[in-house]
Amino acid sequence: MAGKRGNQTVRGMIQSMAVICAFAGVIYLFIPHDDSLDPIQPVDYRVELVTARRAAPYPVAAPAGLPADWKPTSVTFRREDGHAWHLGFLDPDGQYVAVEQSTEAPRQYVPRVTQQAAPTDTSQSVGGESWQRWEGPKYDALVRTDQGSTTVVTGTASYERLAQMAAALESESGATPSPVPSAAASS
Protein backbone atom coordinates (compact mmCIF):
# COMPACT_ATOMS: atom_id res chain seq x y z
CA MET A 1 0.00 0.00 0.00
CA ALA A 2 2.90 2.36 0.74
CA GLY A 3 4.27 1.94 -2.80
CA LYS A 4 0.91 2.88 -4.36
CA ARG A 5 0.65 6.00 -2.22
CA GLY A 6 4.20 7.09 -3.26
CA ASN A 7 3.30 6.73 -6.96
CA GLN A 8 0.20 8.90 -6.50
CA THR A 9 2.29 11.61 -4.79
CA VAL A 10 4.83 11.68 -7.62
CA ARG A 11 2.07 11.70 -10.27
CA GLY A 12 0.29 14.57 -8.49
CA MET A 13 3.52 16.55 -8.27
CA ILE A 14 4.21 16.10 -11.99
CA GLN A 15 0.65 17.16 -12.85
CA SER A 16 0.99 20.26 -10.65
CA MET A 17 4.29 21.20 -12.31
CA ALA A 18 2.72 20.79 -15.77
CA VAL A 19 -0.15 23.12 -14.82
CA ILE A 20 2.25 25.72 -13.37
CA CYS A 21 4.50 25.62 -16.46
CA ALA A 22 1.51 25.95 -18.80
CA PHE A 23 0.22 28.92 -16.80
CA ALA A 24 3.68 30.59 -16.86
CA GLY A 25 3.90 30.03 -20.63
CA VAL A 26 0.52 31.68 -21.22
CA ILE A 27 1.52 34.67 -19.10
CA TYR A 28 4.80 35.02 -21.02
CA LEU A 29 2.99 34.94 -24.38
CA PHE A 30 0.45 37.60 -23.45
CA ILE A 31 2.69 40.06 -21.58
CA PRO A 32 4.27 42.47 -24.07
CA HIS A 33 8.05 42.60 -24.11
CA ASP A 34 10.54 44.13 -26.49
CA ASP A 35 14.01 42.62 -26.43
CA SER A 36 15.32 45.24 -28.85
CA LEU A 37 15.07 48.05 -26.25
CA ASP A 38 18.24 49.19 -24.51
CA PRO A 39 18.08 47.87 -20.91
CA ILE A 40 20.25 50.75 -19.62
CA GLN A 41 18.20 53.81 -18.87
CA PRO A 42 20.04 57.16 -18.58
CA VAL A 43 19.77 58.90 -15.21
CA ASP A 44 19.04 62.57 -14.61
CA TYR A 45 21.79 63.81 -12.30
CA ARG A 46 20.90 67.52 -12.10
CA VAL A 47 19.36 67.45 -8.60
CA GLU A 48 22.25 65.46 -7.11
CA LEU A 49 24.76 67.77 -8.81
CA VAL A 50 23.14 70.89 -7.38
CA THR A 51 22.99 69.25 -3.94
CA ALA A 52 26.64 68.17 -4.10
CA ARG A 53 27.78 71.60 -5.27
CA ARG A 54 26.01 73.24 -2.33
CA ALA A 55 27.28 70.75 0.26
CA ALA A 56 30.82 69.86 -0.83
CA PRO A 57 33.80 71.89 0.39
CA TYR A 58 35.44 71.60 -3.05
CA PRO A 59 34.35 72.49 -6.61
CA VAL A 60 32.25 69.49 -7.73
CA ALA A 61 32.96 68.51 -11.34
CA ALA A 62 30.51 67.28 -13.95
CA PRO A 63 30.90 66.99 -17.72
CA ALA A 64 29.54 69.61 -20.09
CA GLY A 65 29.31 69.28 -23.84
CA LEU A 66 29.74 65.53 -24.13
CA PRO A 67 28.34 64.00 -27.34
CA ALA A 68 24.89 62.43 -27.20
CA ASP A 69 26.25 58.88 -27.21
CA TRP A 70 27.61 59.18 -23.64
CA LYS A 71 24.95 57.79 -21.23
CA PRO A 72 24.86 58.80 -17.56
CA THR A 73 24.05 55.63 -15.61
CA SER A 74 24.64 56.33 -11.92
CA VAL A 75 25.01 59.21 -9.49
CA THR A 76 25.62 59.51 -5.75
CA PHE A 77 26.80 62.09 -3.26
CA ARG A 78 27.73 60.90 0.24
CA ARG A 79 28.60 63.69 2.64
CA GLU A 80 29.46 61.21 5.40
CA ASP A 81 32.14 59.52 3.22
CA GLY A 82 34.47 62.46 2.65
CA HIS A 83 31.91 64.34 0.56
CA ALA A 84 32.23 61.62 -2.08
CA TRP A 85 30.80 62.52 -5.50
CA HIS A 86 30.26 59.75 -8.07
CA LEU A 87 28.92 60.12 -11.61
CA GLY A 88 29.02 57.03 -13.85
CA PHE A 89 28.67 56.88 -17.64
CA LEU A 90 28.77 54.44 -20.52
CA ASP A 91 30.95 55.81 -23.30
CA PRO A 92 30.08 55.45 -27.03
CA ASP A 93 31.92 52.10 -27.09
CA GLY A 94 29.86 50.72 -24.19
CA GLN A 95 32.74 51.03 -21.72
CA TYR A 96 32.34 52.34 -18.17
CA VAL A 97 33.71 55.77 -17.21
CA ALA A 98 33.20 57.38 -13.80
CA VAL A 99 33.99 60.73 -12.26
CA GLU A 100 34.90 60.32 -8.59
CA GLN A 101 35.74 63.16 -6.17
CA SER A 102 36.33 63.25 -2.44
CA THR A 103 38.16 64.96 0.39
CA GLU A 104 39.30 61.55 1.66
CA ALA A 105 43.08 60.97 1.70
CA PRO A 106 44.18 60.03 -1.84
CA ARG A 107 46.24 57.05 -0.58
CA GLN A 108 43.05 55.27 0.50
CA TYR A 109 40.51 56.85 -1.85
CA VAL A 110 42.09 56.35 -5.28
CA PRO A 111 42.82 52.61 -4.98
CA ARG A 112 39.29 52.01 -3.67
CA VAL A 113 37.44 53.82 -6.49
CA THR A 114 39.78 52.44 -9.18
CA GLN A 115 39.45 48.82 -8.06
CA GLN A 116 43.08 48.65 -6.86
CA ALA A 117 44.81 50.56 -9.63
CA ALA A 118 48.35 51.78 -8.89
CA PRO A 119 50.11 55.00 -9.89
CA THR A 120 52.45 55.00 -12.86
CA ASP A 121 55.30 57.36 -13.63
CA THR A 122 53.30 58.79 -16.53
CA SER A 123 51.34 62.02 -16.47
CA GLN A 124 48.98 63.26 -19.14
CA SER A 125 48.04 66.80 -20.02
CA VAL A 126 44.29 67.29 -20.42
CA GLY A 127 42.91 70.77 -20.98
CA GLY A 128 46.17 72.34 -19.85
CA GLU A 129 46.16 70.44 -16.53
CA SER A 130 48.40 67.56 -15.52
CA TRP A 131 46.71 64.26 -14.61
CA GLN A 132 48.58 61.25 -13.27
CA ARG A 133 47.89 57.91 -14.95
CA TRP A 134 46.99 54.92 -12.79
CA GLU A 135 46.78 51.36 -14.13
CA GLY A 136 44.88 48.47 -12.65
CA PRO A 137 43.65 44.97 -13.32
CA LYS A 138 40.08 46.18 -13.84
CA TYR A 139 40.09 49.99 -14.16
CA ASP A 140 42.60 52.54 -15.40
CA ALA A 141 42.39 56.13 -14.20
CA LEU A 142 43.46 59.73 -14.54
CA VAL A 143 43.98 61.35 -11.14
CA ARG A 144 44.39 64.98 -10.08
CA THR A 145 44.60 66.36 -6.55
CA ASP A 146 43.96 70.05 -5.83
CA GLN A 147 41.83 72.47 -3.81
CA GLY A 148 41.49 70.00 -0.91
CA SER A 149 40.02 67.19 -2.99
CA THR A 150 40.98 64.40 -5.34
CA THR A 151 39.36 64.01 -8.76
CA VAL A 152 39.51 60.60 -10.43
CA VAL A 153 38.29 59.75 -13.92
CA THR A 154 38.29 55.96 -13.98
CA GLY A 155 36.79 52.96 -15.69
CA THR A 156 37.18 50.22 -18.26
CA ALA A 157 37.46 52.71 -21.12
CA SER A 158 40.69 53.62 -22.90
CA TYR A 159 42.88 56.48 -21.71
CA GLU A 160 41.65 58.40 -24.75
CA ARG A 161 38.04 58.15 -23.51
CA LEU A 162 39.09 58.91 -19.92
CA ALA A 163 40.86 62.04 -21.21
CA GLN A 164 37.76 62.99 -23.20
CA MET A 165 35.71 62.86 -19.99
CA ALA A 166 38.39 64.75 -18.02
CA ALA A 167 38.47 67.49 -20.69
CA ALA A 168 34.67 67.87 -20.47
CA LEU A 169 34.65 68.38 -16.69
CA GLU A 170 33.50 71.74 -15.41
CA SER A 171 33.27 72.78 -11.78
CA GLU A 172 30.40 74.91 -10.55
CA SER A 173 29.74 76.71 -13.81
CA GLY A 174 26.77 79.01 -14.15
CA ALA A 175 25.20 76.77 -16.79
CA THR A 176 22.68 74.15 -15.79
CA PRO A 177 24.05 70.72 -16.68
CA SER A 178 22.33 68.57 -19.24
CA PRO A 179 21.25 65.39 -17.39
CA VAL A 180 21.22 63.22 -20.48
CA PRO A 181 23.57 64.11 -23.33
CA SER A 182 21.09 62.83 -25.93
CA ALA A 183 18.40 65.19 -24.62
CA ALA A 184 20.67 68.18 -25.15
CA ALA A 185 21.73 67.02 -28.60
CA SER A 186 18.21 66.32 -29.86
CA SER A 187 16.79 69.74 -28.92
Side-chain angles (χ1 to χ4, degrees):
M1 192 146 191
K4 197 174 200 183
R5 182 181 280 261
N7 288 339
Q8 289 175 343
T9 304
V10 170
R11 192 174 109 221
M13 189 169 51
I14 291 171
Q15 289 172 339
S16 295
M17 286 298 293
V19 169
I20 290 170
C21 288
F23 184 69
V26 168
I27 289 174
Y28 179 78
L29 288 175
F30 288 104
I31 300 235
H33 50 277
D34 187 355
D35 295 335
S36 67
L37 294 177
D38 188 357
I40 299 172
Q41 296 299 315
V43 298
D44 182 345
Y45 59 86
R46 288 180 293 190
V47 172
E48 287 86 353
L49 180 58
V50 169
T51 301
R53 285 182 170 169
R54 287 181 181 158
Y58 58 85
V60 173
L66 281 176
D69 45 3
W70 285 76
K71 282 188 186 176
T73 59
S74 59
V75 61
T76 57
F77 177 70
R78 292 182 317 277
R79 182 180 303 182
E80 65 279 0
D81 291 337
H83 295 92
W85 167 247
H86 160 84
L87 185 55
F89 282 81
L90 282 183
D91 76 1
D93 303 320
Q95 295 297 311
Y96 181 66
V97 177
V99 176
E100 308 280 356
Q101 284 184 287
S102 178
T103 58
E104 186 179 338
R107 287 185 312 274
Q108 290 87 27
Y109 182 68
V110 178
R112 183 166 37 85
V113 298
T114 61
Q115 306 292 318
Q116 304 308 314
T120 67
D121 292 330
T122 307
S123 63
Q124 181 171 344
S125 180
V126 178
E129 301 199 13
S130 182
W131 293 72
Q132 183 181 17
R133 281 188 174 195
W134 285 53
E135 290 182 1
K138 185 172 182 179
Y139 292 167
D140 291 329
L142 296 174
V143 178
R144 187 168 50 89
T145 302
D146 63 352
Q147 298 181 13
S149 69
T150 302
T151 303
V152 181
V153 178
T154 187
T156 58
S158 66
Y159 279 113
E160 180 182 333
R161 291 289 190 196
L162 297 177
Q164 186 178 2
M165 173 62 79
L169 292 180
E170 291 185 0
S171 300
E172 300 185 288
S173 67
T176 303
S178 171
V180 182
S182 59
S186 64
S187 307

